[in-house]
Amino acid sequence: MTPPRTPQIPVVVLAGFLGSGKTTLLNHLLRNRAGTRIGVIVNDFGAIEIDAMTVSGQVGSTVSLGNGCLCCAVDASELDTFLETLTRPSARLDVIVIEASGLAEPQELVRMLLASDNPHILYGGLVEVVDAAEFDSTRQRHPELDRHLAVADLVVLNKTDRVGEAERERLRATVAELSGPAAVISAVHGRIDPELLFDPALRPDHEDTVRQLTFEDLLREEATDGHEGHDDHLHAAYESVDFTSDTPMDPRRFMEFLDSRPDGLYRIKGFADFGAGDRDNTYALHAVGRFLRFVPRPWARGEQRLTQLVMIGAGIDAEALLAGLAACRADEPAPGGLAEATDSSVTERGMWGVLRYVQQEADPVDAQRADPVDVQQADPVDVQEAAVEA
């Protein structure tokens, strides 16, 4: 099986009602991007201010933010067109963030991404921003907020400095109940760790030794003076768990682990070695919320064959996750002491569950569309809406 020929750029949908703090959070990401080049698509028609540069009511326009990032103001119907523009190699972007209108239906943007035939994008999750101080009144005026939370992969409970501790805990419990398996983190002024949403770029932000001073440079100097010094503690809002094994993973057990991953586990990234299941390839794994994708890649000559995973979430049990993954190794006895066949045909059959989540290059949509029999293969919006209705 041949992996996609071109790198795929994760596309994150940032949603939330008017005044929840979406643009503040987006500006924070742009200021703390650590060299990552971000493409921003703003689905709105009003005056949009991002990093001191303004797009005034111009739908269908693109501006440079002066730091390797780009901003587009678009109508939702133009989304595919601008995704095509932003995913061109010449744009050299690492991640794309779509800021939805405060009155948008975020699940429709997610559906558009999952149904897109653009081979260069990868679903990066739906982030719903909630105003802690106005949550109850907003929910009363806009009962659809419950539906938005139900399909979110990550919920940012913003402006928590404006409520007391007891109220904050009540809100967290309510939001967690409405959002189901989604991770819920608290924030002030939209300050979350960018690594929750995307990986830092491995290359420097610039290849030239001389460049123009950007807004990001100025903001970093302010932070050095103590303006945002507490950003150093953003990692406290979530947990990151690393797992490494030099023993191949049993594909059937590994898929059972992924299918039953616990609430609050937002992202899983890394590589899996399935040993006899596929001796020619290592499998890159990308999971966000209930979305899952594997991309096979041939082992390089002399490359050490390891499974290496990073799991990111809020309120997760690190020891239980590590124990669950350790039990997925091919040399571990079957759960409950039951006998388990070990011949290669059984292992190869176990790979069928993995291959369901490998995007076929001939038809990039098939791997994401729902199978009427297998809900685990379904579009994450459909799965979560079905759970809510039940």
Side-chain angles (χ1 to χ4, degrees):
M1 185 164 301
T2 304
R5 297 188 181 94
T6 55
Q8 291 180 302
I9 301 174
V11 180
V12 178
V13 177
L14 182 61
F17 276 97
L18 296 168
S20 61
K22 297 188 304 298
T23 302
T24 302
L25 190 155
L26 182 55
N27 282 328
H28 168 74
L29 296 178
L30 289 167
R31 295 168 182 173
N32 297 274
R33 60 193 180 84
T36 301
R37 293 189 173 96
I38 305 174
V40 178
I41 296 179
V42 181
N43 172 219
D44 211 333
F45 296 92
I48 303 154
E49 184 175 346
I50 297 179
D51 247 6
M53 301 192 71
T54 303
V55 181
S56 299
Q58 297 180 23
V59 174
S61 61
T62 301
V63 297
S64 170
L65 297 181
N67 56 10
C69 301
L70 295 173
C71 176
C72 301
V74 306
D75 185 338
S77 65
E78 299 176 309
L79 184 60
D80 270 334
T81 300
F82 277 83
L83 284 173
E84 182 64 32
T85 299
L86 293 178
T87 55
R88 290 173 182 167
S90 58
R92 301 168 62 223
L93 296 177
D94 302 298
V95 63
I96 296 172
V97 179
I98 300 175
E99 182 185 356
S101 163
L103 299 177
E105 286 289 342
Q107 61 266 41
E108 293 307 315
L109 290 173
V110 172
R111 290 185 198 280
M112 292 173 70
L113 291 176
L114 293 176
S116 174
D117 59 0
N118 187 329
H120 308 300
I121 65 171
L122 184 67
Y123 178 61
L126 169 59
V127 180
E128 182 77 19
V129 184
V130 173
D131 183 340
E134 302 293 335
F135 175 74
D136 290 328
S137 59
T138 300
R139 189 181 176 200
Q140 185 175 8
R141 295 194 311 272
H142 300 283
E144 63 268 28
L145 177 58
D146 289 10
R147 183 173 68 251
H148 296 181
L149 287 169
V151 298
D153 299 302
L154 173 68
V155 179
V156 177
L157 185 60
N158 197 26
K159 305 183 184 181
T160 53
D161 57 321
R162 296 179 55 191
V163 298
E165 183 176 352
E167 177 69 357
R168 185 164 56 247
E169 290 306 312
R170 180 190 71 82
L171 289 170
R172 279 186 59 88
T174 301
V175 168
E177 181 180 358
L178 293 171
S179 59
V184 180
I185 62 170
S186 299
V188 175
H189 301 303
R191 290 191 290 261
I192 67 172
D193 195 324
E195 289 194 43
L196 266 171
L197 306 183
F198 53 79
D199 300 329
L202 297 179
R203 48 157 174 69
D205 181 38
H206 57 88
E207 286 75 24
D208 301 324
T209 56
V210 178
R211 66 183 174 92
Q212 182 180 359
L213 191 67
T214 69
F215 290 114
E216 183 185 10
D217 297 317
L218 298 175
L219 289 164
R220 186 178 289 113
E221 289 181 10
E222 290 182 10
T224 303
D225 293 335
H227 179 63
E228 289 188 352
H230 49 289
D231 276 8
D232 294 338
H233 304 289
L234 291 171
H235 62 278
Y238 69 93
E239 297 172 82
S240 179
V241 181
D242 298 338
F243 174 82
T244 301
S245 173
D246 57 5
T247 301
M249 307 299 281
D250 178 275
R252 183 181 58 78
R253 295 186 204 170
F254 188 56
M255 290 309 303
E256 289 176 354
F257 171 85
L258 292 176
D259 287 344
S260 60
R261 50 194 186 272
D263 294 356
L265 182 55
Y266 173 59
R267 290 182 69 197
I268 308 177
K269 57 184 179 179
F271 297 88
D273 172 20
F274 292 113
D278 186 346
R279 298 192 184 280
D280 297 327
N281 294 295
T282 178
Y283 282 73
L285 183 158
H286 167 80
V288 56
R290 296 296 156 181
F291 177 86
L292 175 63
R293 171 70 57 74
F294 285 103
V295 179
R297 171 184 63 79
W299 290 103
R301 180 174 298 178
E303 181 180 358
Q304 186 177 9
R305 302 200 170 200
L306 296 173
T307 292
Q308 295 177 298
L309 302 171
V310 178
M311 295 162 286
I312 300 172
I316 55 178
D317 186 336
E319 291 187 5
L321 287 175
L322 292 173
L325 283 169
C328 295
R329 293 182 299 196
D331 64 346
E332 291 295 313
L338 299 175
E340 190 175 69
T342 58
D343 60 272
S344 59
S345 63
V346 172
T347 302
E348 290 174 1
R349 286 198 299 273
M351 286 296 295
W352 293 347
V354 175
L355 297 178
R356 287 188 297 130
Y357 295 95
V358 173
Q359 179 175 335
Q360 305 297 321
E361 190 164 359
D363 187 353
V365 181
D366 284 347
Q368 300 180 68
R369 286 183 174 158
D371 184 322
V373 177
D374 185 358
V375 297
Q376 293 296 336
Q377 229 180 319
D379 164 334
V381 175
D382 290 337
V383 173
Q384 293 178 42
E385 284 184 344
V388 171
E389 292 172 358

